[in-house]
């Protein structure tokens, strides 16, 4: 019994031509070569890799059962971690609004302010939070202030970038209508631009707070406040049961932050 393709004289269908198949095979081969070259260049000690399961089992054995004798101090510093993330996010939102305005092509006053705004956004996003924390610990000294400023500087680029893109995508008709009536620039911003970007503003602010909550848990490793201080102390003194308690507290904080973020998105958006 002949197939339909044979009855109608059609050739078997192929998604890619032989030339395209050869090109795809060459790209896959190139990627494989790059991956193997990267693995060879970072000098992995494979003996440690193969031994890692037994080491993890030994470490988890030392962590069990978790030590809750210092739970009061852990919860107090955990609340400090939440405050760091919240204050840093609030400050970053305030600072990022004018930066986003001058970084958007359709609202920036001139070319200089456009590139100035984008330079601020790129500079903020190109430096990791831990690096910012190390810098501000050297400036302000160890403590919460360095952590708040570090997370704020890191968040400005994230929030400003997304808000700037939202401003560039607004509908120009309300803006042109207000400008035609002779409205001031301030009224154009308040009545034509702000209402269109408010959903994005709240979504980005909530998302960044959730991210900052996670990042603030490690600031204490470099002396910038938060729960990381107790975690670093427990690790340095080989107090693995207390380290387990701290890790469980961080996990609970992250899960709670996810729940709060989801609740705020449903209520606000």
């Amino acid at each position: 019994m002949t197939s339909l393709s044979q009855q109608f004289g059609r050739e078997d269908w192929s998604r890619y031509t032989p030339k395209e198949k050869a090109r795809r095979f060459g790209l896959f081969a190139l990627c494989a070569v790059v991956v193997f070259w990267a693995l060879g260049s970072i000098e992995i000690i494979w003996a440690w890799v193969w031994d890692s399961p037994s080491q993890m089992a030994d470490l988890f054995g030392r962590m069990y059962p978790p030590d809750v004798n210092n739970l009061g101090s852990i919860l107090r510093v955990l609340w400090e971690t939440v405050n760091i993330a919240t204050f840093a996010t609030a400050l970053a939102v305030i600072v990022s609004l004018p930066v986003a305005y001058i970084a958007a092509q359709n609202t920036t006053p001139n070319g200089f302010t456009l590139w100035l705004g984008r330079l601020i956004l790129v500079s903020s996003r190109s430096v990791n939070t831990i690096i910012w924390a190390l810098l501000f610990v050297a400036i302000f000294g160890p403590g919460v202030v360095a952590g708040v400023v570090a997370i704020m500087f890191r968040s400005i680029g994230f929030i400003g970038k997304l808000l700037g893109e939202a401003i560039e995508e607004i509908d120009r008709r309300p803006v042109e209508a207000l400008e035609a009536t002779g409205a001031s620039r301030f009224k154009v911003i308040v009545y034509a631009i702000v209402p269109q970007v408010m959903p994005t503003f709240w979504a980005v602010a909530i998302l960044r707070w959730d991210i900052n909550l996670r990042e603030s848990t490690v600031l204490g490793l470099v002396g910038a406040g938060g729960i990381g201080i107790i975690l670093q102390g427990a690790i340095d003194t080989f107090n693995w049961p207390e380290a387990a308690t701290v890790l469980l507290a961080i996990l609970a904080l992250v899960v709670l932050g996810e729940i709060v973020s989801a609740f705020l998105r449903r209520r606000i958006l």
Side-chain angles (χ1 to χ4, degrees):
M1 183 175 179
T2 60
S3 63
L4 291 177
S5 61
Q6 291 174 340
Q7 291 178 8
F8 291 96
R10 296 179 180 175
E11 298 180 356
D12 292 337
W13 177 84
S14 178
R15 183 176 180 181
Y16 301 106
T17 64
K19 184 178 181 179
E20 290 174 337
K21 290 180 179 178
R23 185 184 301 115
R24 289 170 60 84
F25 177 79
L27 289 175
F28 286 139
L30 178 62
C31 291
V33 170
V34 171
V35 169
F36 281 112
W37 173 81
L39 290 175
S41 63
I42 58 178
E43 298 181 359
I44 299 176
I45 302 177
W46 292 106
W48 291 5
V49 175
W50 308 135
D51 188 50
S52 59
S54 61
Q55 295 296 330
M56 291 176 61
D58 178 66
L59 182 60
F60 288 146
R62 297 181 186 182
M63 288 182 171
Y64 184 82
D67 183 8
V68 296
N69 291 328
N70 199 25
L71 185 60
S73 299
I74 292 174
L75 294 178
R76 178 181 56 80
V77 181
L78 200 65
W79 179 246
E80 179 182 278
T81 302
V82 176
N83 291 334
I84 291 174
T86 304
F87 289 140
T89 304
L91 292 174
V93 167
I94 295 172
V95 175
S96 64
L97 291 177
V99 177
Y101 180 82
I102 65 174
Q105 291 184 354
N106 55 342
T107 56
T108 189
N110 51 61
F112 172 76
T113 55
L114 174 65
W115 288 106
L116 175 62
R118 294 190 173 181
L119 176 63
I120 294 173
L121 297 181
V122 171
S123 301
S124 171
R125 289 181 291 119
S126 62
V127 180
N128 189 270
T129 306
I130 293 296
I131 306 302
W132 281 122
L134 287 170
L135 174 64
F136 290 116
V137 164
I139 296 174
F140 297 109
V144 174
V145 175
V148 171
V149 178
I151 291 185
M152 181 193 72
F153 268 68
R154 174 66 173 177
S155 302
I156 290 172
F158 180 90
I159 300 174
K161 173 69 173 177
L162 296 180
L163 285 182
E165 291 179 351
I167 293 173
E168 291 180 343
E169 296 173 358
I170 63 172
D171 186 357
R172 288 287 303 172
R173 288 175 295 181
V175 177
E176 294 171 353
L178 282 176
E179 290 176 345
T181 64
S184 64
R185 188 60 181 170
F186 177 76
K187 291 183 177 180
V188 170
I189 295 173
V190 172
Y191 295 108
I193 298 178
V194 170
Q196 297 189 62
V197 300
M198 282 303 292
T200 302
F201 168 80
W202 287 113
V204 171
I206 294 171
L207 174 61
R208 190 63 216 185
W209 176 80
D210 189 23
I211 296 173
N212 288 343
L213 196 63
R214 304 163 194 265
E215 292 191 346
S216 61
T217 59
V218 298
L219 291 177
L221 299 178
V222 294
I227 191 69
I229 294 177
I230 297 182
L231 178 61
Q232 184 65 53
I235 294 174
D236 290 343
T237 58
F238 302 103
N239 190 354
W240 299 115
E242 182 172 307
T245 305
V246 174
L247 292 175
L248 291 174
I250 292 174
L251 177 61
L253 176 64
V254 171
V255 172
L256 181 62
E258 190 68 30
I259 295 173
V260 172
S261 298
F263 173 78
L264 292 176
R265 291 189 189 99
R266 288 196 303 267
R267 294 290 295 178
I268 297 177
L269 302 179

